[in-house]
């Protein structure tokens, strides 16, 4: 299993499990829990969730899925920007811990930037680390100017920036990803298959067929071939998570990578960070 190292030296599997849009349909709950558990058995032990997802129900689903296996999981959750203040972040974190059925988070992220000053958020995050409620913290959806401000605000302990990044969303390659790489800060790539839309791309499907892979596997393999990238695809079924795991076994050649560059051109200028 390929691993990725955070700035504090912690290593995690390069392929994780996302949960955005899970727990929104009670009829799929048992299937989604089975999917997460299958992912754990396959070594995909990083699970990402957020207090926003299904109004906290996604965290409850994750808590049920990892019951009895908490110590084997690298657990990530995210706080609303309005909860990122000195007073509200401890309460938001405690609520997430309760829903997840755990006493700590391995990684806690600011979901996106709001009106709370970054200096205050950094202070609140560090207090949670000191209290043992979280082991480390990071951010999500912050562009390069925000990241520079974060570091200037005392945020040297930030471990990651979770961003929208996939074959059709390559803008961060121009400046944000190199900026993060210089600080040995990996990215977590959400929506790595563009919420499923990439699987219907004709050129990607053609190349995938030549490689005896699915388009989704090829899209994930491309991300996995890049330094410091942790894709976190969602899988709503056992078969789907097995398909995702098999992407780790797809070894892209230089010719494959060149073909993908021709299908999905890298950026030539700086672009604002996209969000979903």
């Amino acid at each position: 299993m390929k691993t990725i190292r955070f700035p504090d030296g912690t290593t995690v599997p390069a392929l994780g499990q996302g949960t955005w849009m899970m727990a929104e349909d009670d009829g799929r709950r048992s299937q989604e829990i089975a999917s997460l558990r299958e992912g754990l058995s396959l070594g995909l032990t990083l699970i990402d969730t957020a207090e926003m997802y299904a109004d906290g129900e996604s965290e409850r689903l994750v808590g049920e899925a990892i019951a009895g296996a908490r110590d084997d999981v690298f657990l990530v959750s995210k706080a609303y920007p309005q909860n990122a203040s000195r007073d509200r972040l401890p309460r938001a974190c405690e609520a997430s811990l309760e829903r997840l059925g755990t006493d700590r988070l391995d990684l806690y992220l600011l979901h996106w930037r709001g009106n709370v000053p970054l200096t205050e958020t950094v202070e609140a995050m560090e207090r949670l680390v000191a209290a043992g409620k979280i082991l480390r913290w990071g951010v999500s959806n912050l562009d390069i100017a925000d990241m520079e401000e974060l570091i200037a605000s005392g945020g040297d302990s930030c471990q990651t920036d979770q961003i929208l990044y996939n074959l059709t969303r390559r803008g961060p390659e121009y400046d944000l990803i190199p900026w993060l790489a210089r600080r040995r800060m990996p990215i977590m790539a959400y929506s790595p298959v563009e919420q499923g839309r990439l699987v219907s791309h004709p050129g990607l499907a053609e190349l995938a067929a030549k490689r005896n892979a699915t388009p989704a596997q090829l899209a994930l393999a491309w991300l996995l071939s890049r330094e410091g990238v942790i894709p976190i695809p969602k899988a709503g079924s056992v078969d789907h998570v097995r398909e995702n795991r098999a992407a780790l076994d797809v070894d892209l050649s230089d010719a494959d990578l060149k073909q993908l560059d021709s299908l999905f051109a890298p950026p030539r200028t700086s672009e604002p960070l996209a969000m979903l």
Side-chain angles (χ1 to χ4, degrees), residues 51 79-93 108 110 112 114-128:
E51 66 172 336
Y80 275 120
Q82 64 266 29
N83 286 339
S85 66
R86 189 178 298 107
D87 294 331
R88 295 181 64 168
L89 194 62
R91 296 198 295 270
C93 181
Y108 198 30
L110 169 66
W112 66 89
N115 295 323
V116 178
L118 290 176
T119 51
E120 185 171 344
T121 299
V122 169
E123 178 188 338
M125 288 288 192
E126 292 293 354
R127 286 185 176 184
L128 288 172

Side-chain angles (χ1 to χ4, degrees), residues 8-249:
D8 70 354
T10 303
T11 57
V12 296
L15 183 62
Q17 299 188 79
T19 62
W20 188 16
M21 294 183 286
M22 278 190 173
E24 296 183 353
D25 182 347
D26 286 342
R28 297 200 302 264
R29 188 179 187 87
S30 61
Q31 189 176 30
E32 290 171 344
I33 289 172
S35 172
L36 289 170
R37 289 176 176 168
E38 178 69 8
L40 293 180
S41 75
L42 295 171
L44 310 184
T45 54
L46 184 153
I47 298 180
D48 174 84
T49 187
E51 66 172 336
M52 183 189 81
Y53 298 168
D55 293 326
E57 196 58 37
S58 174
E59 289 180 321
R60 292 189 182 92
L61 184 147
V62 170
E64 185 175 344
I66 68 173
R70 171 63 185 94
D71 291 342
D72 299 324
V73 179
F74 188 92
L75 190 56
V76 186
S77 195
K78 299 184 283 292
Y80 275 120
Q82 64 266 29
N83 286 339
S85 66
R86 189 178 298 107
D87 294 331
R88 295 181 64 168
L89 194 62
R91 296 198 295 270
C93 181
E94 203 63 53
S96 287
L97 293 176
E98 183 177 350
R99 288 188 291 266
L100 287 159
T102 186
D103 61 351
R104 83 280 183 196
L105 289 169
D106 296 286
L107 178 63
Y108 198 30
L109 307 180
L110 169 66
H111 207 152
W112 66 89
R113 188 170 185 182
N115 295 323
V116 178
L118 290 176
T119 51
E120 185 171 344
T121 299
V122 169
E123 178 188 338
M125 288 288 192
E126 292 293 354
R127 286 185 176 184
L128 288 172
V129 172
K133 298 296 183 179
I134 65 175
L135 301 186
R136 56 194 62 79
W137 63 271
V139 295
S140 180
N141 295 304
L142 264 62
D143 210 341
I144 189 166
D146 299 310
M147 291 303 300
E148 289 174 338
E149 182 180 342
L150 180 77
I151 299 301
S153 301
D156 294 309
S157 296
C158 179
Q159 299 296 306
T160 189
D161 189 6
Q162 184 179 125
I163 60 173
L164 176 62
Y165 182 50
N166 59 49
L167 280 167
T168 63
R169 309 278 192 165
R170 297 185 63 174
E173 292 175 19
Y174 189 81
D175 47 14
L176 177 59
I177 290 177
W179 188 95
L180 294 166
R182 288 194 294 273
R183 288 155 184 81
R184 295 186 172 86
M185 199 181 300
I187 69 165
M188 299 177 69
Y190 75 83
S191 297
V193 193
E194 188 66 10
Q195 296 184 320
R197 289 184 286 273
L198 267 168
V199 301
S200 60
H201 188 282
L204 186 63
E206 182 179 351
L207 181 58
K210 292 178 182 177
R211 292 301 317 270
N212 293 315
T214 67
Q217 286 171 339
L218 213 60
L220 291 174
W222 177 79
L223 286 167
L224 290 163
S225 73
R226 308 186 77 78
E227 289 295 321
V229 178
I230 308 166
I232 48 170
K234 184 199 79 168
S237 70
V238 167
D239 287 344
H240 192 179
V241 77
R242 288 172 180 166
E243 177 188 354
N244 288 346
R245 168 60 181 83
L248 285 159
D249 301 322

